[in-house]
Amino acid sequence: MVGGGQLARMTHQAAIALGQRLRVLAAAADEPAAQVTPDVVIGSHTDLDDLRRAAAGATVLTFDHEHVPGELLDQLIAEGVSVAPPPAALLHAQDKLVMRRKLAALGAPVPRFAAIETPEDLEEFAVLTGGPMVVKAVRGGYDGRGVSLVDDLSAARAVVAEYQGAGVAVLAEERVVMRRELSALVARSPFGQGAAWPVVETVQEDGICVTVIAPAPDLSDESALAAQRLALNLADELGVVGVLAVELFETVAGELLVNELAMRPHNSGHWTMDGAVTSQFEQHLRAVLDYPLGATTPVAPVTVMANVLGAPQAPAMTMDERLHHLFARYPDARVHLYGKGERPGRKIGHINFLGGDVKDSVKLRERAEGAAHWLSHGQWRAGDEEERH
């Protein structure tokens, strides 16, 4: 697996149960996955020789991020390496403009968009949409980076000038008036078997996912089925092998629009580690190894995942002590820590809570977010300290 982050770390956990050994190409020995797997190659995902060392003797090469240059992957394939997902598919998660154009050509619902190369391009798009817009870096953005929300043409000009001044290609999209964000997570095997988990609601703050509710509350069966079918169809059309996350906007009118694609295990699927028969990490391995895919059935009526983000100031209390207090209050909390140093806004872990009734989702969300805040800050939120279990 190229990349030594938390996704590779959790994929390693799934590999152990399948009797597989996961080799990791990590940038440093202290990265999350490199801490737990004995088979580590230290190197860069942009260096062909490092990629060759990681792929040597492996059944398949896969990814915990989408930043490996496609031309390097093409070279590995020419040398006989099996790459999943293939670079032709991966491109649609690397390049937002390629992705938008392909989805539009396939008839998938997307916000209106335009490549911005000249001031005239931006002005024409502003006239077309007639309102606020989103300016995005075509490549490289994630967790809110490379995405700028602007309210008018003047602000858009400034953002575009900043990006282009740094040599970054940009596109503009209309700002969707949305009710919420959703994610449809699916997997596809090399011969085309597909599997879909329930559609989830994702809650974002400052461009970072903070909470996931599975299944998405108050989503009609018709919309949920449409989202799953859309994701499965896109996986098939793009030739994805492995897990595909299709991030969606649900508009106030109930329409679903595709926001982003990710071709790897995804933050919106962390709930599956405890809340589904087959986790996204095991499923990704099954897919890239060409095993039959596992059941995606939930094991509880509702699961809520909350990310543990680094606090503005790291607590004096150790994480070990914070865990003691957390488990004393919430013995049913399922904690997953990534072995990362704490810094503001950094994803250092997540917590899953399972509920016995879909009506529990609001209360379950409060518990999950309160527990995550405690692990981040070493302090209970106002009101949380009154709860006893």
Side-chain angles (χ1 to χ4, degrees):
M1 184 168 253
V2 178
Q6 64 262 26
L7 300 180
R9 181 186 179 104
M10 290 181 279
T11 303
H12 170 69
Q13 294 174 246
I16 293 170
L18 297 181
Q20 297 290 334
R21 190 177 76 188
L22 184 73
R23 179 182 299 145
V24 169
L25 176 61
D30 62 350
E31 289 193 338
Q35 296 173 22
V36 297
T37 179
D39 196 350
V40 182
V41 173
I42 303 299
S44 170
H45 63 273
T46 61
D47 185 284
L48 180 58
D49 287 336
D50 290 342
L51 290 166
R52 283 177 174 141
R53 288 192 295 134
T59 305
V60 63
L61 184 75
T62 190
F63 312 96
D64 112 323
H65 62 72
E66 294 105 339
H67 305 311
V68 183
E71 60 270 19
L72 300 186
L73 297 177
D74 288 335
Q75 180 62 38
L76 292 177
I77 291 171
E79 295 171 5
V81 176
S82 175
V83 176
L90 194 63
L91 176 62
H92 298 90
Q94 296 173 325
D95 189 304
K96 293 180 175 62
L97 186 56
V98 169
M99 180 265 290
R100 280 280 178 258
R101 287 171 170 164
K102 180 65 172 180
L103 296 188
L106 292 173
V110 295
R112 288 180 291 182
F113 69 94
I116 305 300
E117 296 178 355
T118 67
E120 291 74 23
D121 292 336
L122 186 62
E123 291 169 11
E124 289 174 9
F125 186 71
V127 170
L128 176 67
T129 57
M133 66 183 79
V134 183
V135 179
K136 292 183 176 181
V138 169
R139 283 178 173 261
Y142 67 98
D143 280 351
R145 298 176 181 88
V147 177
S148 299
L149 277 63
V150 294
D151 294 324
D152 53 41
L153 181 58
S154 176
R157 287 194 192 102
V159 171
V160 169
E162 181 179 351
Y163 281 137
Q164 292 180 336
V168 176
V170 296
L171 75 156
E173 297 177 0
E174 66 178 320
R175 180 102 64 89
V176 175
V177 181
M178 63 179 175
R179 177 190 174 201
R180 58 181 171 177
E181 295 190 52
L182 304 171
S183 178
L185 195 74
V186 300
R188 181 180 179 274
S189 72
F191 69 90
Q193 183 190 9
W197 288 271
V199 178
V200 303
E201 178 177 348
T202 64
V203 181
Q204 317 285 326
E205 292 181 5
D206 298 323
I208 300 175
C209 177
V210 293
T211 307
V212 172
I213 306 152
D218 303 317
L219 183 67
S220 70
D221 292 343
E222 180 182 9
S223 291
L225 184 59
Q228 289 175 315
R229 284 177 172 166
L230 172 63
L232 288 168
N233 287 340
L234 289 178
D236 196 52
E237 290 281 359
L238 300 177
V240 174
V241 175
V243 166
L244 169 69
V246 180
E247 298 178 62
L248 300 160
F249 296 135
E250 182 185 19
T251 70
V252 292
E255 185 182 7
L256 299 180
L257 301 175
V258 177
N259 177 27
E260 303 281 359
L261 302 179
M263 294 181 193
R264 51 172 170 75
H266 190 254
N267 200 171
S268 67
H270 289 353
W271 71 274
T272 63
M273 295 179 75
D274 301 296
V277 172
T278 308
S279 78
Q280 65 165 343
F281 299 101
E282 178 182 335
Q283 195 80 296
H284 187 75
L285 289 174
R286 287 191 185 213
V288 302
L289 291 169
D290 205 7
Y291 289 176
L293 299 182
T296 53
T297 315
V299 300
V302 60
T303 302
V304 175
M305 186 283 304
N307 276 326
V308 180
L309 304 177
Q313 184 172 347
M317 186 186 299
T318 67
M319 180 60 77
D320 183 65
E321 189 175 356
R322 281 174 263 166
L323 280 172
H324 276 270
H325 288 283
L326 177 75
F327 288 142
R329 177 160 297 180
Y330 297 120
D332 58 330
R334 319 289 182 90
V335 176
H336 303 272
L337 296 176
Y338 305 153
K340 287 182 169 182
E342 297 179 57
R343 64 172 183 249
R346 190 184 200 190
K347 293 176 183 175
I348 59 174
H350 70 271
I351 306 177
N352 288 330
F353 279 88
L354 278 61
D357 193 307
V358 291
K359 297 176 183 177
D360 294 342
S361 62
V362 173
K363 183 62 177 175
L364 211 59
R365 176 179 172 181
E366 291 176 358
R367 297 180 73 213
E369 292 177 345
H373 184 274
W374 165 259
L375 280 189
S376 295
H377 295 75
Q379 295 177 337
W380 298 110
R381 299 180 308 178
D384 289 338
E385 66 273 9
E386 303 300 324
E387 188 172 352
R388 292 291 183 270
H389 297 280

PDB file of all heavy atoms in Angstrom, residues 140-152:
ATOM      1  N   GLY A 140      -4.734  18.036  -5.852  1.00  0.00           N
ATOM      2  CA  GLY A 140      -4.018  18.116  -4.591  1.00  0.00           C
ATOM      3  C   GLY A 140      -4.792  18.509  -3.357  1.00  0.00           C
ATOM      4  O   GLY A 140      -4.293  18.345  -2.244  1.00  0.00           O
ATOM      5  N   GLY A 141      -6.005  19.030  -3.483  1.00  0.00           N
ATOM      6  CA  GLY A 141      -6.727  19.474  -2.295  1.00  0.00           C
ATOM      7  C   GLY A 141      -7.393  18.334  -1.548  1.00  0.00           C
ATOM      8  O   GLY A 141      -7.816  17.350  -2.136  1.00  0.00           O
ATOM      9  N   TYR A 142      -7.475  18.465  -0.225  1.00  0.00           N
ATOM     10  CA  TYR A 142      -8.232  17.527   0.603  1.00  0.00           C
ATOM     11  C   TYR A 142      -8.474  18.168   1.958  1.00  0.00           C
ATOM     12  O   TYR A 142      -7.782  19.097   2.370  1.00  0.00           O
ATOM     13  CB  TYR A 142      -7.492  16.196   0.784  1.00  0.00           C
ATOM     14  CG  TYR A 142      -6.213  16.285   1.602  1.00  0.00           C
ATOM     15  CD1 TYR A 142      -6.197  15.963   2.949  1.00  0.00           C
ATOM     16  CD2 TYR A 142      -5.028  16.713   1.011  1.00  0.00           C
ATOM     17  CE1 TYR A 142      -5.034  16.063   3.700  1.00  0.00           C
ATOM     18  CE2 TYR A 142      -3.862  16.814   1.756  1.00  0.00           C
ATOM     19  CZ  TYR A 142      -3.869  16.484   3.092  1.00  0.00           C
ATOM     20  OH  TYR A 142      -2.724  16.591   3.829  1.00  0.00           O
ATOM     21  N   ASP A 143      -9.512  17.662   2.687  1.00  0.00           N
ATOM     22  CA  ASP A 143      -9.859  18.179   4.015  1.00  0.00           C
ATOM     23  C   ASP A 143      -9.983  19.704   4.009  1.00  0.00           C
ATOM     24  O   ASP A 143      -9.509  20.398   4.903  1.00  0.00           O
ATOM     25  CB  ASP A 143      -8.820  17.755   5.062  1.00  0.00           C
ATOM     26  CG  ASP A 143      -9.030  16.325   5.535  1.00  0.00           C
ATOM     27  OD1 ASP A 143     -10.069  15.735   5.188  1.00  0.00           O
ATOM     28  OD2 ASP A 143      -8.153  15.798   6.243  1.00  0.00           O
ATOM     29  N   GLY A 144     -10.626  20.226   2.963  1.00  0.00           N
ATOM     30  CA  GLY A 144     -10.847  21.658   2.884  1.00  0.00           C
ATOM     31  C   GLY A 144      -9.721  22.441   2.248  1.00  0.00           C
ATOM     32  O   GLY A 144      -9.899  23.615   1.887  1.00  0.00           O
ATOM     33  N   ARG A 145      -8.543  21.836   2.096  1.00  0.00           N
ATOM     34  CA  ARG A 145      -7.431  22.533   1.453  1.00  0.00           C
ATOM     35  C   ARG A 145      -7.688  22.586  -0.054  1.00  0.00           C
ATOM     36  O   ARG A 145      -8.169  21.641  -0.641  1.00  0.00           O
ATOM     37  CB  ARG A 145      -6.112  21.821   1.731  1.00  0.00           C
ATOM     38  CG  ARG A 145      -5.739  21.758   3.210  1.00  0.00           C
ATOM     39  CD  ARG A 145      -4.460  20.948   3.412  1.00  0.00           C
ATOM     40  NE  ARG A 145      -4.084  20.832   4.807  1.00  0.00           N
ATOM     41  CZ  ARG A 145      -4.514  19.870   5.633  1.00  0.00           C
ATOM     42  NH1 ARG A 145      -5.335  18.951   5.176  1.00  0.00           N
ATOM     43  NH2 ARG A 145      -4.125  19.834   6.887  1.00  0.00           N
ATOM     44  N   GLY A 146      -7.331  23.706  -0.652  1.00  0.00           N
ATOM     45  CA  GLY A 146      -7.532  23.848  -2.088  1.00  0.00           C
ATOM     46  C   GLY A 146      -8.968  24.088  -2.480  1.00  0.00           C
ATOM     47  O   GLY A 146      -9.321  23.956  -3.644  1.00  0.00           O
ATOM     48  N   VAL A 147      -9.806  24.466  -1.496  1.00  0.00           N
ATOM     49  CA  VAL A 147     -11.215  24.761  -1.761  1.00  0.00           C
ATOM     50  C   VAL A 147     -11.548  26.097  -1.112  1.00  0.00           C
ATOM     51  O   VAL A 147     -11.358  26.265   0.096  1.00  0.00           O
ATOM     52  CB  VAL A 147     -12.140  23.670  -1.206  1.00  0.00           C
ATOM     53  CG1 VAL A 147     -13.611  24.029  -1.436  1.00  0.00           C
ATOM     54  CG2 VAL A 147     -11.816  22.320  -1.845  1.00  0.00           C
ATOM     55  N   SER A 148     -12.035  27.051  -1.897  1.00  0.00           N
ATOM     56  CA  SER A 148     -12.350  28.379  -1.377  1.00  0.00           C
ATOM     57  C   SER A 148     -13.775  28.757  -1.751  1.00  0.00           C
ATOM     58  O   SER A 148     -14.143  28.744  -2.934  1.00  0.00           O
ATOM     59  CB  SER A 148     -11.375  29.420  -1.942  1.00  0.00           C
ATOM     60  OG  SER A 148     -10.041  29.124  -1.576  1.00  0.00           O
ATOM     61  N   LEU A 149     -14.568  29.090  -0.737  1.00  0.00           N
ATOM     62  CA  LEU A 149     -15.932  29.563  -0.965  1.00  0.00           C
ATOM     63  C   LEU A 149     -15.904  31.078  -1.090  1.00  0.00           C
ATOM     64  O   LEU A 149     -15.356  31.776  -0.213  1.00  0.00           O
ATOM     65  CB  LEU A 149     -16.845  29.163   0.201  1.00  0.00           C
ATOM     66  CG  LEU A 149     -17.424  27.738   0.178  1.00  0.00           C
ATOM     67  CD1 LEU A 149     -16.322  26.691   0.258  1.00  0.00           C
ATOM     68  CD2 LEU A 149     -18.408  27.553   1.331  1.00  0.00           C
ATOM     69  N   VAL A 150     -16.452  31.596  -2.173  1.00  0.00           N
ATOM     70  CA  VAL A 150     -16.438  33.043  -2.413  1.00  0.00           C
ATOM     71  C   VAL A 150     -17.862  33.523  -2.647  1.00  0.00           C
ATOM     72  O   VAL A 150     -18.699  32.807  -3.202  1.00  0.00           O
ATOM     73  CB  VAL A 150     -15.537  33.407  -3.607  1.00  0.00           C
ATOM     74  CG1 VAL A 150     -14.078  33.083  -3.288  1.00  0.00           C
ATOM     75  CG2 VAL A 150     -15.963  32.689  -4.875  1.00  0.00           C
ATOM     76  N   ASP A 151     -18.112  34.769  -2.232  1.00  0.00           N
ATOM     77  CA  ASP A 151     -19.465  35.302  -2.308  1.00  0.00           C
ATOM     78  C   ASP A 151     -19.728  36.130  -3.552  1.00  0.00           C
ATOM     79  O   ASP A 151     -20.882  36.353  -3.914  1.00  0.00           O
ATOM     80  CB  ASP A 151     -19.757  36.165  -1.069  1.00  0.00           C
ATOM     81  CG  ASP A 151     -19.792  35.336   0.211  1.00  0.00           C
ATOM     82  OD1 ASP A 151     -20.258  34.180   0.147  1.00  0.00           O
ATOM     83  OD2 ASP A 151     -19.357  35.847   1.260  1.00  0.00           O
ATOM     84  N   ASP A 152     -18.670  36.600  -4.213  1.00  0.00           N
ATOM     85  CA  ASP A 152     -18.896  37.458  -5.373  1.00  0.00           C
ATOM     86  C   ASP A 152     -17.709  37.358  -6.327  1.00  0.00           C
ATOM     87  O   ASP A 152     -16.682  36.724  -6.030  1.00  0.00           O
ATOM     88  CB  ASP A 152     -19.133  38.910  -4.955  1.00  0.00           C
ATOM     89  CG  ASP A 152     -18.033  39.456  -4.051  1.00  0.00           C
ATOM     90  OD1 ASP A 152     -16.848  39.167  -4.313  1.00  0.00           O
ATOM     91  OD2 ASP A 152     -18.356  40.175  -3.087  1.00  0.00           O
TER      92      ASP A 152
END
